[in-house]
Amino acid sequence: MTGASNGPERGYAPGRPDRAAGPRSGSDQRFGGDQRSGGGDQRFGGGDRRGGADRRPGGDRRGAAGRPARPPVDRARQAAYEAVAAVHRDDAYANLVLPAILRETGLYGRDAAFATELTYGTLRHLGTLDAVLTAAAGRDVARIDPPVRDALRLGAYQLLHTRVPPHAAVSSTVDLVRLVGAGATGFANAVLREVTTRDADGWVAQLAPSAETDPIGHLALAYSHPQWIVRAFSEALGGDLGETTRLLIEDNERPPVHLCARPGLVDAVELADEVGGAPGAFSPYAVYLSGGAPGDLPAVAQGRAHVQDEGSQLVADALVAAPLDGPDGRWLDLCAGPGGKSGLLGALAAQR
C-alpha cells in the first residue's frame, strides 16, 4: 500500500463519513494567531493564555494563592495537539500544517520527531482511540468538547502505542487540557486513568465485535480502519481475511519519507546520492529518505525535488503514458490538492 503512505493524514471517527475529500477552502490555518477553539489565545510565543496563571516566559508563574503554577505544556505535545486540532477543526492536511507548526515553535531533532510521531500516530489510530475513549468516559466522544477530545486522543495514543510512562502521559495530557479546556482537568484525569487499566490488545478484546460473527467490524476496530475500507480490501483479496489483516497492519505502519526527483532538474540516482537515500523500487522518480527533515534539503528548497509518496508518483507517470487522440499541448489537473502530482506533471510537461 504505497498510495496511502505519505498522503494527508486525516483520520476518521466511528459514525462519521470518511473525510478524505480535501480541506475546506478558506479555512484559517494560521498558527501563532488567535485559535479560540479551545481555551483562549494560544499563541506559540508564550503570550497570554487566559484561563490560568500567567505563563509568559520570565513572567510571574504564581497562581492566585501565591503557589507556583504548574509548568507549561511541553512544546512537542502542544505542537502535536495543534496539528491534530487543525485536522478536525479546519479539515486541514496534517502533512501540510505540521511542518509549519514545527518551524513556528522552533522544534528540531528528537522533539520534532516526537511531535511528528504523536500527530501521525494519533490520526492513524483515531477510530480505535475514539472507541476506547468512549468506553473510558462513559459517553460518546462526540459529546466531549472538541479541544479536550483531541487532547485525550493524544494522551490515549501515548498510553496504548508508545513507551511513554503512563504517569507521564496522564500528567502531560492533563496539563494540556488545563491549557485548552479549563475546567475539564478532573474529567481528563479520570478518563485517562481508566484507559491505563488495559493495554491496546485488552481494549480491542473488550470492545471489538466477535471475529466469528462480524469479521469486518472486528478488523475495523482492531486495526483502526473504516468498515468500508476493510470490506473493500477483503473483496479485492477474494475474501481472504488473513491477507486483509496483513494489509491493514501494513497500512498502519509508520511510512518512510519518499522524495520525487523532478525530471529535467535531477534524476533519482543523483538525488539519492545527494541526500544519502536510495532510489525507489517502483517509480523512476522516487528516492527513499532514511531520516531528517526533507524541507532542509537543498534539492527540496531549490524545487528540484519534493516530498511525494511513490504511489502518487506512479499515478502521474501512468497518466502521461496513456495514449490519446489529438494534440498533447495542454494539460489540466482537475484533482489538484497540495500539488504534488501537479508538480511532477509540470516537470514532465516541460520536457515535451
Side-chain angles (χ1 to χ4, degrees):
M1 282 296 293
T2 59
S5 298
N6 280 316
E9 300 268 6
R10 308 296 288 278
Y12 82 96
R16 292 211 309 261
D18 186 65
R19 300 162 54 207
R24 297 188 189 99
S25 60
S27 294
D28 186 357
Q29 299 175 12
R30 293 169 293 178
F31 293 89
D34 190 359
Q35 299 169 23
R36 294 188 173 89
S37 62
D41 188 346
Q42 298 174 22
R43 297 184 181 91
F44 277 106
D48 185 6
R49 296 187 173 111
R50 301 173 183 87
D54 183 356
R55 296 180 181 174
R56 285 172 289 185
D60 185 359
R61 293 182 176 225
R62 293 186 171 273
R67 298 187 302 272
R70 293 178 66 89
V73 178
D74 71 83
R75 293 187 301 156
R77 287 181 171 89
Q78 185 171 356
Y81 167 79
E82 292 292 345
V84 170
V87 169
H88 299 135
R89 183 186 63 236
D90 302 330
D91 213 17
Y93 288 105
N95 65 322
L96 298 184
V97 297
L98 181 60
I101 294 171
L102 296 179
R103 289 192 299 269
E104 186 81 24
T105 55
L107 290 177
Y108 300 97
R110 293 178 62 185
D111 286 339
F114 183 52
T116 301
E117 166 62 17
L118 289 185
T119 299
Y120 292 136
T122 297
L123 294 173
R124 281 197 301 269
H125 292 274
L126 191 65
T128 304
L129 294 176
D130 279 359
V132 171
L133 290 172
T134 291
R139 69 177 78 167
D140 192 277
V141 290
R143 295 176 54 205
I144 301 174
D145 189 44
V148 176
R149 182 170 62 219
D150 283 330
L152 288 175
R153 287 163 167 165
L154 286 165
Y157 177 73
Q158 293 173 68
L159 289 170
L160 299 177
H161 296 286
T162 75
R163 292 182 293 177
V164 174
H167 72 275
V170 172
S171 177
S172 62
T173 304
V174 170
D175 285 342
L176 180 58
V177 170
R178 182 175 288 106
L179 179 66
V180 303
T185 54
F187 169 73
N189 185 67
V191 171
L192 292 172
R193 290 191 180 280
E194 180 64 21
V195 173
T196 66
T197 61
R198 297 172 181 81
D199 61 11
D201 291 339
W203 279 112
V204 168
Q206 176 177 326
L207 299 176
S210 167
E212 287 72 29
T213 60
D214 185 5
I216 297 299
H218 179 88
L219 291 175
L221 192 140
Y223 300 106
S224 201
H225 280 70
Q227 288 197 26
W228 71 268
I229 288 183
V230 179
R231 189 172 295 108
F233 283 0
S234 176
E235 291 173 356
L237 294 168
D240 188 330
L241 294 179
E243 280 297 293
T244 301
T245 300
R246 184 180 67 81
L247 186 58
L248 294 171
I249 292 172
E250 291 183 358
D251 202 37
N252 268 340
E253 290 294 320
R254 296 176 180 87
V257 174
H258 298 171
L259 298 179
C260 176
R262 291 184 173 175
L265 301 176
V266 66
D267 67 38
V269 174
E270 293 172 348
L271 181 63
D273 290 341
E274 180 180 334
V275 302
F282 304 102
S283 166
Y285 318 111
V287 171
Y288 302 155
L289 192 62
S290 59
D296 295 338
L297 297 173
V300 173
Q302 296 163 5
R304 294 183 288 120
H306 61 268
V307 177
Q308 184 179 36
D309 180 77
E310 190 172 19
S312 295
Q313 297 175 33
L314 290 174
V315 171
D317 193 46
L319 176 65
V320 300
L324 62 109
D325 296 324
D328 188 23
R330 294 183 180 181
W331 298 0
L332 175 62
D333 185 353
L334 292 175
C335 299
K341 286 186 284 293
S342 295
L344 175 54
L345 289 172
L348 291 167
Q351 294 186 303
R352 299 191 180 187

